[in-house]
Amino acid sequence: MISKTVKYYIRSKICTVSSVLFFLIPCGFAVFFWKLGMTGFTLLHTLSRYNFYCCAFLAALSFYFISSADRNHVKEAFECGGKKAVYENHALLFMLVQVLFWNSAMCIILILCSMENDASSYFISWFFAGYLCNMFIPQVICVFLTYLVSASGNPGRMLTPEILFIFLISPFAEEIVWEQKPQFPIDYLWKKIRWPFQILYQNGVWSPDVQNDLQMERVRIYLLVFWLLFLLFLAASCIWNVKPVSAAAGIFAAVFLVLSCQPASVYRLNSSWDGINKDITDYEVHVNDHTLKKPDADIFSITSYQLGMALKNELAVEGNLELEASRKCRDFCMTLYHGYAVKELYANTKGVTVQFKQQNDFIFIHADTAVAKLSIHIQYEGHHNKYYANSCAVMLPGWFPWYPMAGKRQVVLEYPEYGKMWGYSPYNRIKKANISIRTNQAVITNLSDKGGNLYEGTEDSITVLGGNIKKLKDEVAADVLPLQLYAGYGEEEFLAKQKEDYFQSLEKLKNAYGVDVSELEHKRLVFASKDLGRNVTNNHLAVFDSYILAVPDYISVDDFLHYLILQDGKNQKRREQSPLIQMVMFSNIDDSAGDIVRQWTEEIRLQNEKPEYMELFMEAAKTCGSERLVKEAVQYALYPQKWECDREFFEMVLNKTEK
Amino acid sequence: MENVMIEINRIKKKLGKKEVLKGISLQLKPSVYGLAGANGAGKTTLLRILAGVMNADGGEIVMPEGSGQTGYLPQKFGCFPELTVYEQLEYFACLKKIPASCMESEILRALECVNLGGKEKMKCRKLSGGMVRRAGIAQALLGNPALLLLDEPTVGLDMEERKNFNRVVREMEGERTVLLSTHLAEDLKNLCQSVIILESGEVREVVPETYD
Ligand SMILES: Nc1ncnc2c1ncn2[C@@H]1O[C@H](COP(=O)(O)OP(=O)(O)OP(=O)(O)O)[C@@H](O)[C@H]1O
Ligand SMILES: [Mg+2]
């Protein structure tokens, strides 16, 4: 019987031509990209990005094929004798078989591509679940939905909701965002409406995060299960008339929909006001000036952290903190990012009761008696939309207040040096404390691994990383992101390159620019994906007491220099006003001195500086040579307070040379 | 009442807000029944329910066990334009579970009955309206069903074909239960041994064989 349905499919030119195109075009592109040298991950990501078009095409083809019995008035005669939707059932089966073949072909291409272009077999052992959720299941959902529409008895009318569905899952619907917060919360409404339709990979504004994943968070999986069950429910109740199946599927579908709506840390940044720009929007409301200021943590410090971390839909932390003040006091203020809601906070110290208030990024604790030492129990949960933490992946840099930090800290910084650009502050540290964290899954941290997911150490920060990240047995580098490696750039090459970058950068900083690098030397390198930074140059690297948290391939002279320059918040005004420092900030300091000076000359011309400025600059360059000029300029950018203005700096350079 | 083949008890059907069938009860023997009534009387609805393509809201249909299959020609019938007449009938034959061994002869016989012999290789898209109708009758005849439900079978047939159809139905007289809806007095007179008249969802009258 199904053979007759297949025969009809083959006889129909539209169907066969569509099938051939459906197989040839995507597979052809996949093979083309494979041969171009794409890694398995990049190819899978590319496929996931364009899967909407496959889904839409499949829906159109399925509609044409599955509804053709109805369209041609064969349906009623076919169904004589109570064989309800007999043609549609067979047509669905055949479409699903095609989808299965198509996806098998794609998987084979992916595997071959990975074998040829990847440096490890990590992708092959990892990709299948991501493939299912981003490619196969959304296609099955679209075909199944089309089946329901076609077998509904009125495909013409039911086509409208299907088109609406296709639109809602599309990138076009994804692109509807509000860059400014609207008066009426229409964006909130739209978000709620669209959430159940996010069955495909959400493109967002960036390339995928090799550490995170292809959006495989639990809530997304619940959503996919919801659709499968919901469609099964519709089919069982409206078409197949199997009451027990329909009841069970209906109940479970509802459960999974509810589960999928739980608060969760999902990494989907878009250009909406509460997407990539959420923090700066929040801070614009609360604070006027967010240039770097010294934290007021002198009154007390947190000497011990004993935290239990549960990574589920979002981050949940529970544990004890020991607060120690230099003198007895009643009020303590800690910083914790406002996305984490404190559920519970009480004093462990006998005879002391505390009250607390969470306001913006701060927790204000008030004790009923003045104490110098206070032990508190704290429980909080929540998420940040960029620094994700869920059961799939974690990106919690030590400088981000995802754990309580003593005193008032800034989460977001403004960089006048870059012309009002903003970014997260990589300069938050805690006073060295005894830290012990226990997690519900293995993670990579700056603490030492005690086994059984227990991590301990005396450190100035807590960095927790997880996801597609692999621990390394190496003295310098702590980990590697295996999805980033490609043929010719395997673990060994990765290690060699990062170490070389690290050592050479320090050497150049020291020898060529006279920078004191003692604070940067002899550190362990902890790597996180590029998504650690991405919004402003200096987030790619942060130097802690015992380690450097960095993005692979971003350990450079420039990154170190920017990190060092910007950690000084006192002289921001000076730098902002100096054209020369601006040029230092925006040029590639790793270039040769001659090139840099040439770039600067051009820049001065473009900026229409006064003729005297150009003359001074030219004279300085000529007299002391490019190399010395650049070296002095770097020192000037680091310590601008030494000179009144650029003119004074140039004069100093000239005087020094003449002497 | 021995040879009662099919018993319809208080069949009810509501479509939208309208009660289309308001409790239809009938007893059908192996004979040819005409189903008459104004447009919208509920003929098609009744035939659909009997054919099993639509569920009734209430009532029951009793068919003796092993009474064989049902042949059904819907009021609106078409074919897949891309298939040949033979392939289209083959499709139906498969659905009716006609064994592969006698499938070909059965299809050719059915086509012969409606004067489509020799047209089996023709693509359905090239069939005229009347030919499609005849192909529809042929598919209903496949497998010698014990109950034949024909919804306005003669619509679109020319004089010659109508005569042929009359002959085919006559040949079945007494062997099978045939229920055919029609608006033509001529059909009722020539074909049917009994006439059931529906009016707004109710049986108004069953005119027995004495009708002439
Ligand atoms: N899907 C439907 N939804 C609502 N009402 C319907 C539907 N199908 C049919 N009806 C109504 O049911 C009634 C009976 O329709 P039916 O097709 O059975 O009439 P009929 O006797 O076969 O008429 P005709 O002689 O025109 O073929 C009509 O009034 C029609 O409007
Ligand atoms: Mg009718």
Side-chain angles (χ1 to χ4, degrees):
Chain A
M1 170 56 220
I2 185 137
S3 65
K4 297 284 170 281
T5 315
V6 177
K7 190 177 209 170
Y8 164 58
Y9 190 90
I10 294 167
R11 281 295 153 78
S12 162
K13 275 199 195 82
I14 293 183
C15 290
T16 29
V17 169
S18 302
S19 266
V20 169
L21 291 180
F22 181 56
F23 273 83
L24 278 188
I25 297 176
C27 291
F29 269 109
V31 171
F32 175 69
F33 288 135
W34 154 23
K35 288 297 163 196
L36 273 188
M38 258 194 188
T39 59
F41 179 71
T42 332
L43 180 56
L44 175 55
H45 168 247
T46 310
L47 290 174
S48 304
R49 267 187 95 122
Y50 292 100
N51 196 27
F52 166 73
Y53 299 97
C54 295
C55 286
F57 186 84
L58 264 177
L61 172 60
S62 303
F63 183 78
Y64 179 81
F65 175 47
I66 306 179
S67 70
S68 71
D70 187 279
R71 195 171 50 248
N72 293 307
H73 307 294
V74 204
K75 182 176 164 68
E76 223 182 300
F78 270 165
E79 291 179 8
C80 162
K83 298 185 277 286
K84 203 156 183 223
V86 60
Y87 167 81
E88 288 81 1
N89 290 344
H90 287 138
L92 168 70
L93 199 64
F94 181 58
M95 284 310 295
L96 289 179
V97 168
Q98 283 196 70
V99 168
L100 195 69
F101 269 106
W102 188 91
N103 284 281
S104 308
M106 274 302 172
C107 283
I108 292 170
I109 294 173
L110 274 169
I111 290 171
L112 293 175
C113 167
S114 167
M115 278 163 58
E116 194 168 306
N117 299 336
D118 283 3
S120 73
S121 56
Y122 183 88
F123 175 80
I124 295 175
S125 59
W126 162 86
F127 89 102
F128 196 65
Y131 186 90
L132 276 186
C133 293
N134 288 296
M135 299 295 296
F136 182 67
I137 295 176
Q139 288 184 8
V140 168
I141 289 173
C142 287
V143 171
F144 208 96
L145 180 76
T146 313
Y147 157 78
L148 287 173
V149 167
S150 308
S152 65
N154 197 340
R157 203 175 60 193
M158 296 308 286
L159 198 57
T160 318
E162 166 145 27
I163 290 172
L164 192 67
F165 174 87
I166 300 281
F167 168 72
L168 283 169
I169 64 167
S170 73
F172 313 111
E174 191 195 332
E175 273 162 26
I176 302 177
V177 291
W178 280 259
E179 285 180 22
Q180 301 283 307
K181 191 175 177 173
Q183 286 286 316
F184 179 77
I186 180 140
D187 61 320
Y188 178 79
L189 222 90
W190 172 243
K191 240 180 167 170
K192 289 283 165 208
I193 293 171
R194 219 185 81 78
W195 165 249
F197 298 93
Q198 299 193 14
I199 60 170
L200 287 157
Y201 179 80
Q202 303 294 296
N203 292 329
V205 285
W206 292 330
S207 52
D209 181 4
V210 287
Q211 182 182 333
N212 189 318
D213 221 295
L214 290 174
Q215 304 174 344
M216 301 278 299
E217 303 89 0
R218 276 188 208 175
V219 284
R220 161 121 190 271
I221 293 169
Y222 294 150
L223 202 58
L224 293 172
V225 176
F226 155 72
W227 276 106
L228 292 174
L229 287 171
F230 178 60
L231 295 176
L232 186 67
F233 159 74
L234 288 179
S237 55
C238 305
I239 297 171
W240 306 331
N241 268 328
V242 246
K243 291 253 154 58
V245 175
S246 106
I251 292 167
F252 282 111
V255 169
F256 276 98
L257 182 63
V258 171
L259 282 178
S260 82
C261 292
Q262 295 176 98
S265 162
V266 288
Y267 186 48
R268 315 264 194 286
L269 292 184
N270 55 22
S271 49
S272 148
W273 68 271
D274 59 351
I276 181 171
N277 288 320
K278 178 170 192 309
D279 283 321
I280 197 63
T281 318
D282 284 359
Y283 287 90
E284 262 165 7
V285 175
H286 301 315
V287 213
N288 294 322
D289 174 23
H290 16 79
T291 51
L292 184 61
K293 285 171 280 292
K294 211 171 170 320
D296 59 340
D298 297 329
I299 310 150
F300 79 100
S301 61
I302 302 173
T303 54
S304 157
Y305 288 82
Q306 307 273 333
L307 302 175
M309 276 176 88
L311 298 159
K312 287 178 181 160
N313 284 321
E314 49 181 8
L315 175 70
V317 175
E318 184 168 9
N320 298 318
L321 307 175
E322 304 292 332
L323 280 55
E324 236 178 88
S326 48
R327 57 185 159 79
K328 282 193 173 181
C329 51
R330 286 171 186 246
D331 292 296
F332 300 87
C333 172
M334 306 192 295
T335 304
L336 181 72
Y337 177 71
H338 62 271
Y340 303 103
V342 178
K343 303 272 161 181
E344 199 175 50
L345 193 154
Y346 57 81
N348 295 322
T349 313
K350 274 216 178 86
V352 185
T353 39
V354 295
Q355 285 173 316
F356 78 96
K357 194 173 72 184
Q358 192 176 12
Q359 203 175 56
N360 303 334
D361 286 335
F362 311 120
I363 307 171
F364 297 98
I365 302 172
H366 179 76
D368 60 346
T369 44
V371 284
K373 277 187 178 182
L374 180 65
S375 165
I376 58 164
H377 181 88
I378 187 169
Q379 188 199 337
Y380 59 91
E381 60 188 58
H383 61 264
H384 180 257
N385 70 357
K386 180 166 182 222
Y387 295 111
Y388 49 79
N390 56 47
S391 54
C392 298
V394 201
M395 166 91 82
L396 295 172
W399 44 254
F400 175 66
W402 64 269
Y403 55 99
M405 293 179 172
K408 284 191 178 175
R409 312 298 182 111
Q410 286 166 273
V411 176
V412 162
L413 280 188
E414 194 177 286
Y415 295 105
E417 291 91 339
Y418 295 133
K420 294 262 179 233
M421 225 196 249
W422 72 278
Y424 293 98
S425 165
Y427 300 111
N428 289 317
R429 300 288 177 277
I430 56 173
K431 215 173 198 176
K432 269 199 171 187
N434 292 319
I435 301 163
S436 159
I437 60 168
R438 190 181 279 284
T439 53
N440 61 337
Q441 65 199 48
V443 292
I444 285 172
T445 82
N446 54 311
L447 308 167
S448 50
D449 190 348
K450 299 288 169 192
N453 299 335
L454 178 68
Y455 305 87
E456 288 180 347
T458 306
E459 292 279 331
D460 66 342
S461 58
I462 318 176
T463 290
V464 178
L465 303 170
N468 295 305
I469 192 164
K470 209 181 110 192
K471 213 169 242 178
L472 285 177
K473 284 196 183 75
D474 184 82
E475 286 199 345
V476 180
D479 59 276
V480 59
L481 300 154
L483 290 178
Q484 209 173 35
L485 304 178
Y486 47 88
Y489 188 68
E491 239 167 73
E492 270 172 41
E493 292 88 348
F494 166 81
L495 276 175
K497 170 154 195 307
Q498 305 311 319
K499 284 182 201 173
E500 192 183 296
D501 283 356
Y502 178 39
F503 299 135
Q504 281 189 356
S505 301
L506 294 194
E507 202 164 289
K508 185 152 188 191
L509 280 172
K510 193 159 73 180
N511 298 340
Y513 300 121
V515 178
D516 172 17
V517 295
S518 56
E519 269 181 46
L520 312 176
E521 282 171 328
H522 314 300
K523 309 259 166 161
R524 234 170 114 70
L525 301 174
V526 178
F527 291 108
S529 80
K530 200 176 172 183
D531 294 62
L532 176 68
R534 251 177 175 162
N535 51 347
V536 86
T537 26
N538 79 328
N539 274 161
H540 289 134
L541 187 145
V543 183
F544 293 88
D545 191 52
S546 68
Y547 66 104
I548 294 175
L549 175 64
V551 175
D553 304 335
Y554 279 81
I555 303 184
S556 66
V557 175
D558 283 292
D559 281 288
F560 273 123
L561 195 62
H562 282 226
Y563 179 80
L564 292 175
I565 292 173
L566 296 171
Q567 74 178 351
D568 158 34
K570 285 199 295 269
N571 298 300
Q572 279 171 323
K573 271 265 152 344
R574 279 287 299 111
R575 293 196 193 94
E576 195 184 347
Q577 286 155 2
S578 154
L580 185 61
I581 295 179
Q582 296 274 309
M583 290 192 295
V584 172
M585 300 298 292
F586 282 103
S587 49
N588 192 354
I589 291 296
D590 218 4
D591 282 350
S592 76
D595 282 347
I596 296 174
V597 170
R598 250 189 304 283
Q599 276 172 39
W600 290 354
T601 319
E602 188 57 29
E603 188 63 30
I604 295 169
R605 216 190 314 279
L606 286 174
Q607 293 293 322
N608 272 331
E609 293 291 346
K610 288 199 186 93
E612 303 98 85
Y613 191 94
M614 183 58 122
E615 268 169 37
L616 259 174
F617 174 79
M618 294 302 277
E619 202 183 332
K622 212 161 118 191
T623 329
C624 69
S626 305
E627 252 157 61
R628 252 211 59 216
L629 181 64
V630 176
K631 183 176 175 176
E632 295 289 357
V634 165
Q635 288 297 324
Y636 179 37
L638 277 164
Y639 310 106
Q641 68 274 27
K642 288 187 185 165
W643 297 280
E644 205 43 52
C645 58
D646 286 9
R647 160 182 287 275
E648 214 173 87
F649 167 77
F650 287 131
E651 279 165 1
M652 175 279 297
V653 173
L654 284 168
N655 285 339
K656 236 175 155 182
T657 320
E658 273 154 27
K659 269 178 208 162
Chain B
M1 296 292 271
E2 247 181 321
N3 52 355
V4 169
M5 193 198 150
I6 179 164
E7 208 176 305
I8 301 162
N9 290 326
R10 298 177 305 280
I11 289 290
K12 281 187 187 145
K13 183 74 191 178
K14 228 175 148 175
L15 285 171
K17 283 202 181 99
K18 194 179 169 189
E19 241 190 308
V20 180
L21 299 178
K22 302 170 182 162
I24 303 269
S25 296
L26 286 169
Q27 290 175 341
L28 305 178
K29 290 176 290 205
S31 171
V32 180
Y33 293 87
L35 192 56
N39 286 145
K43 303 179 294 294
T44 298
T45 310
L46 179 61
L47 288 172
R48 276 188 173 153
I49 290 172
L50 290 177
V53 297
M54 186 187 258
N55 295 328
D57 296 338
E60 56 171 359
I61 300 164
V62 189
M63 286 200 218
E65 291 228 353
S67 59
Q69 288 193 336
T70 307
Y72 172 51
L73 170 69
Q75 184 167 0
K76 258 192 197 162
F77 175 83
C79 296
F80 288 131
E82 294 87 350
L83 294 183
T84 63
V85 176
Y86 183 85
E87 284 163 346
Q88 180 68 72
L89 284 199
E90 204 179 27
Y91 211 141
F92 281 106
C94 274
L95 278 171
K96 291 191 171 182
K97 302 213 164 59
I98 291 168
S101 55
C102 53
M103 194 177 284
E104 192 180 344
S105 59
E106 181 61 24
I107 292 169
L108 293 178
R109 186 193 65 83
L111 286 175
E112 214 54 66
C113 279
V114 293
N115 263 340
L116 282 177
K119 295 264 193 299
E120 62 267 15
K121 293 240 168 64
M122 210 163 148
K123 277 266 159 69
C124 288
R125 86 153 48 81
K126 292 187 180 149
L127 294 181
S128 72
M131 280 155 121
V132 171
R133 202 78 201 133
R134 275 144 61 200
I137 297 168
Q139 82 46 45
L141 292 176
L142 283 174
N144 272 324
L147 173 63
L148 200 56
L149 304 165
L150 306 171
D151 201 348
E152 304 194 14
T154 53
V155 168
L157 301 195
D158 61 24
M159 287 299 276
E160 199 57 37
E161 292 306 329
R162 217 171 282 186
K163 265 187 210 152
N164 180 53
F165 175 70
N166 288 356
R167 183 181 52 76
V168 174
V169 174
R170 283 254 173 69
E171 278 168 15
M172 287 188 271
E173 241 163 55
E175 284 170 35
R176 285 178 246 282
T177 308
V178 182
L179 183 58
L180 61 89
S181 80
T182 180
H183 286 294
L184 301 177
E186 182 200 324
D187 285 346
L188 294 172
K189 202 168 137 194
N190 294 344
L191 294 170
C192 308
Q193 289 157 333
S194 313
V195 176
I196 300 158
I197 300 173
L198 280 188
E199 198 180 275
S200 0
E202 283 172 292
V203 180
R204 203 190 66 193
E205 212 175 338
V206 181
V207 188
E209 282 111 296
T210 45
Y211 177 92
D212 226 319

